[in-house]
Amino acid sequence: MPLVRDGKAVADGWTTVADDAALPADAPVIVSFARWRAERAVLEQRNAPLGLGLKNTDAVEEVGPEIHRFGLVALNFPKFSDGRAYSQARLLRERYGFKGDLRATGQVLPDQLIHMLRAGFDSFDTADARVLQQWSKSVAAYHAFYQPIGRLRPTLDNLRREEARPAAAD
Amino acid sequence: MYAYDRHDRMFVHARVEQFRDQAARRLKGELSEDEFKPLRLQNGLYLQLHAYMLRVAIPYGTLDARQMRQLALIARRHDRGFGHFTTRQNIQFNWIKLEEAADALHLLAEVDMHAIQTSGNCIRNVTADAWAGVAPDEIEDPRIWSEIIRQWSTNHPEFSFLPRKFKIAVTGSPADRAAVKVHDIGLRMHRNAAGETGFEVIVGGGLGRTPIIGTTLKDWLPKRDLLSYLEATLRVYNRYGRRDNIYKARIKILVHELGPEKMRDEVEVEFQTIRDGALALPAETIAEIAAHFAPPRYAKQPGFAPAHETLRRTSPGYRRWVETNVVPHREPGYAIVHFSLKPEGGVPGDATAEQMEAVADLAEKHSLGEIRVTHTQNLVLPHVAVEDLPAVWRAAEAVGFATPNLDLVTDIIACPGLDYCSLANARSIPVAQRITRRFADLGRVHEIGPLSIKISGCINACGHHHIGAIGILGVDKQGEEFYQITLGGNAGPEARLGDLLGPAVSADRVVDTVEAVVEAYLAIRAPGEDFLATYARLGLAPFKERAYAPR
């Protein structure tokens, strides 16, 4: 699938493997939550990066404490108007400290990029050419946000406080 | 009032330009209607029967004279010279062209206003007591908290695609003038045993097709934890609220299906995990927002107001207006003045551009530049010196806003109904107009006393019919407009939903039926008893008997 990251089309080194398909040797794979639970021992013995694909109804709490085992987590937007994966993304980033690649799959549209980036996503699995076309405009739309949460700071409040601080003596 | 600085301004202007680009892409066909719909809704643009409607946020119902003049300008330039104040303290323009929408939003941004999140499945404009900051019974100004919530909820990265819309209301007084029990979240400020002010958090109230009085999830929440608790509640809702059926997607259904105990536990676990995080409110931040709402400098008034006293003795019309539309202010020598947007035969909540400008002038001259919008679709001048009341009355008379009917039978709430709305089954506005004509005699209106009539043109209940002392709901019967009538609804601290009077009546019969109910009340009330008290004492039967009696 075409992949977008940091405003560029990039090659996707990951392969999503169906639950009943054989695992390729030594290639980075994304498996479902169900498969990971069922075949955990085998999966962790593999000598290649492991990715996890979650449905937006999967409980991130169940996998959260072990999320560092994964190089990538893919969260799904079955429809762009279904916002459950935003909560999953923030929980993985902010509560469980996930540092790997957080990927958005499903209906990824240009006008939701800003929310997704702020919620913690960094790569976008989408064939929609508009995502790439709109990227820089979307990311630059706001100079700051009100909430002190998520990524893409600063907050309006941070900016105010910086401006109010007296200039350094030197 | 909250005053924008450079950063707030940059933010709302950025939002306008973002929408301008989105609308342009829609017009060029680069965005489908499906993709564009939530974007326009979250910028206040709603597709109605004849045109786009623009719903402008008036945060917690507070605006200044300059902003009101700009609304008049938008009414002239982009609408047909009028606007409609709504039950959520917003204003709606009914005749907007998509090509011009961003220009109208730009005019708003010029005066520090916006239409952000006035529609769509997101956290909507926060509402509050229209008497905030001036009510004698107030514990704390709810606008401080409404503004803090406005900022937290604006363009929230997690909660912009909720299962359904989400409405929050705040009251800082024991007398609930914000209907907090029928909101997705209602916040009621009160003091705990130690004397500290905090919030009762009421979740899952709402009207619509499944009217429910909200459940208290937390009796007393410290101020510093307000946003953490809201975030926890919204997160539980975003993750677990139903998305399979639009009619079961509000948080009230989640509360109902989980049960209050389980809901409380889910929210509590999430809250305890995040309460000391980035959303904990430092006292410093609260103080900075609160400073925006510090009481204005009132000029000291003499103990005696001669112009007011004289006119009160000599003019019965003035006396009646003062007794009905003017209420006490916390500052001695001042009053809270209501402008009724419910004249005989008028459209409830409508104001022309000229009327808006007249109100702006009066606010500047007599109310320290401030105006409020009530959830009953009227306007308020919150700081009028008692000695200025005669001048304000004459000016209100001249623009048609002096009908002395606040909270009386002709102070009707009505949704836009089938005259504008694509969801409606029946018209609301003409019913309201006919009722105000039937009760045109002010003597009779005052004889009847406090009585709220609320009209909705469909089951979505935008006219709040469930909480009207008399509620009227438009239904469709084989292509004809019929109206169901409910009695005994109430929005205040003793909130309750109305009971169905009986079979729906035809459009021809609806005003007669309302009148019969009112006549029944007059016949059976005890001395000094208002409509709701009589209803509570005697129940539906005596009303039903008279309402359906052959005439």
Side-chain angles (χ1 to χ4, degrees), chain A residues 11 25 32 36 45 52 59 62 74 88 98 103 110-111 157 162:
Chain A
S32 75
W36 180 68
Q45 290 304 311
L52 178 68
E62 278 187 50
Q88 291 178 313
F98 180 61
R103 176 180 292 192
D111 291 286
D157 230 33
E162 271 170 35

Side-chain angles (χ1 to χ4, degrees), chain A residues 56-61 79-88 90-91 94-95 107 109-112 114-119 128 130 133-134 137-138 140-151 153 155-157 159-161 163, chain B residues 2 4-12 14-16 18 21-22 25 30-32 34-36 38-39 42 121 147 150-162 231 234-235 238-241 243 270 273-274 278-279 284-285 288:
Chain A
N56 72 359
T57 47
D58 287 336
V60 289
E61 285 83 353
K79 281 187 299 191
F80 78 96
S81 54
D82 182 337
R84 282 177 275 200
Y86 292 111
S87 287
Q88 291 178 313
R90 282 196 63 207
L91 287 170
E94 296 173 36
R95 181 160 309 162
Q107 194 178 17
L109 298 176
D111 291 286
Q112 279 72 53
I114 192 79
H115 294 310
M116 292 183 184
L117 287 165
R118 292 180 68 204
D128 193 327
R130 296 172 299 175
Q133 284 158 17
Q134 289 288 320
K137 224 186 319 186
S138 296
Y142 295 93
H143 79 299
F145 296 98
Y146 281 106
Q147 300 81 8
I149 51 171
R151 295 196 306 192
R153 314 283 175 84
T155 66
L156 275 71
D157 230 33
L159 295 178
R160 286 178 187 127
R161 279 173 217 290
E163 286 169 8
Chain B
Y2 182 73
Y4 276 26
D5 73 356
R6 183 168 92 76
H7 295 293
D8 297 291
R9 288 201 183 103
M10 283 170 76
F11 185 90
V12 291
R15 178 73 171 213
V16 173
Q18 185 187 41
D21 174 65
Q22 290 164 341
R25 282 187 280 137
E30 293 172 19
L31 281 177
S32 71
D34 250 17
E35 292 166 344
F36 181 58
L39 308 178
Q42 297 205 11
N121 295 334
E147 176 59 27
R150 184 190 76 83
Q151 297 191 9
W152 160 77
S153 61
T154 297
N155 223 356
H156 196 290
E158 184 178 345
F159 305 135
S160 293
F161 291 91
L162 296 170
E231 182 123 321
L234 266 295
R235 181 169 281 165
N238 189 44
R239 296 181 74 191
Y240 306 119
R243 292 172 189 262
E270 185 63 34
T273 314
I274 63 175
L279 289 173
E284 187 192 8
T285 302
E288 281 168 8

